[in-house]
Amino acid sequence: DSGVTQTPKHLITATGQRVTLRCSPRSGDLSVYWYQQSLDQGLQFLIHYYNGEERAKGNILERFSAQQFPDLHSELNLSSLELGDSALYFCASSVGLAGEGGELFFGEGSRLTVL
Amino acid sequence: AQSVAQPEDQVNVAEGNPLTVKCTYSVSGNPYLFWYVQYPNRGLQFLLKYITGDNLVKGSYGFEAEFNKSQTSFHLKKPSALVSDSALYFCAVRDGQAGTALIFGKGTTLSVSS
């Protein structure tokens, strides 16, 4: 158990809909990262938050947004969903910033299926 | 921009034999290198990392990796493979100077036969 909690574990929805994925980082971790894993694209970095502030953006679509709240949990919002958004979405946390040498701890992921 | 290449989609070894999973990287600054393992329907688990110091890094479950700056490689190795090592392995790199996010390779499926 990594200590990172993601909900829901599975989600099935229709095209055009909006969903929210939730992540609770390990106790004491200030950084939260979101990744998307799909068969064709592999593991893609989406976005990084540190102590409530956005620090880096990767291949995140404009239809997607995220935020980190004062209690350090994070939410990833996916809107106007398309079939191609079906993937496994991972949250990871670390103690410090990306420039430090700390490893990331991953949650079990949220599997999104768009029908 | 930083990138990671794992040239083999799949590696097959017999139990008891040594295994190597290859990884090469590209960063403009100092590389921070990581290996993770993913079992079916699970999240990624940290195996080991290289930040600085000794080029040979030892990690969890008997795995080790050697950092080679001239070849920009960070291959994962284990002297004697177990069937339970069968999983998906990811190499990842971060530019330590720029403080960028961790970028992952495509992954290599390791299959260990009994």
Side-chain angles (χ1 to χ4, degrees), chain A residues 33 35 37 40-41 43 45 90 98-104 106-108 111, chain B residues 32 34 36 38 42-44 46 49 51 90 94 96 99-102 104 106:
Chain A
Y33 305 80
Y35 285 84
Q37 185 179 31
D40 55 342
Q41 294 293 322
L43 200 60
F45 166 66
F90 284 109
E100 300 164 10
E103 60 268 30
L104 272 59
F106 281 78
E108 296 286 292
R111 182 170 295 282
Chain B
Y32 290 177
F34 300 78
Y36 282 82
Q38 185 182 28
R42 302 297 301 275
L44 277 71
F46 168 75
K49 68 180 179 182
I51 304 299
F90 289 96
R94 169 189 293 157
T100 55
L102 198 56
F104 287 83
K106 292 283 190 184

Side-chain angles (χ1 to χ4, degrees), chain B residues 24-64:
Chain B
T24 58
Y25 66 90
S26 174
V27 295
S28 54
N30 293 327
Y32 290 177
L33 295 155
F34 300 78
W35 276 101
Y36 282 82
V37 60
Q38 185 182 28
Y39 297 98
N41 301 312
R42 302 297 301 275
L44 277 71
Q45 297 177 33
F46 168 75
L47 280 179
L48 50 81
K49 68 180 179 182
Y50 171 83
I51 304 299
T52 187
D54 194 348
N55 288 344
L56 184 63
V57 178
K58 294 187 182 298
S60 306
Y61 313 119
F63 284 94
E64 59 188 28

Side-chain angles (χ1 to χ4, degrees), chain A residues 30-109:
Chain A
L30 299 178
S31 273
V32 170
Y33 305 80
W34 286 96
Y35 285 84
Q36 178 194 58
Q37 185 179 31
S38 60
L39 283 176
D40 55 342
Q41 294 293 322
L43 200 60
Q44 296 284 316
F45 166 66
L46 296 179
I47 198 163
H48 167 213
Y49 277 84
Y50 175 79
N51 203 20
E53 293 187 6
E54 181 186 305
R55 297 302 298 248
K57 269 188 174 180
N59 300 321
I60 188 166
L61 300 172
E62 286 191 9
R63 300 183 285 108
F64 296 0
S65 65
Q67 53 184 328
Q68 186 180 26
F69 295 86
D71 67 352
L72 301 177
H73 91 271
S74 178
E75 293 181 356
L76 180 66
N77 300 296
L78 315 175
S79 61
S80 304
L81 285 168
E82 302 175 359
L83 296 177
D85 297 328
S86 295
L88 194 52
Y89 291 85
F90 284 109
C91 168
S93 72
S94 67
V95 172
L97 289 167
E100 300 164 10
E103 60 268 30
L104 272 59
F105 294 87
F106 281 78
E108 296 286 292

Side-chain angles (χ1 to χ4, degrees), chain B residues 14 20-21 52 59 62 64 68 86:
Chain B
T20 298
V21 182
T52 187
E64 59 188 28
N68 187 317
S86 299

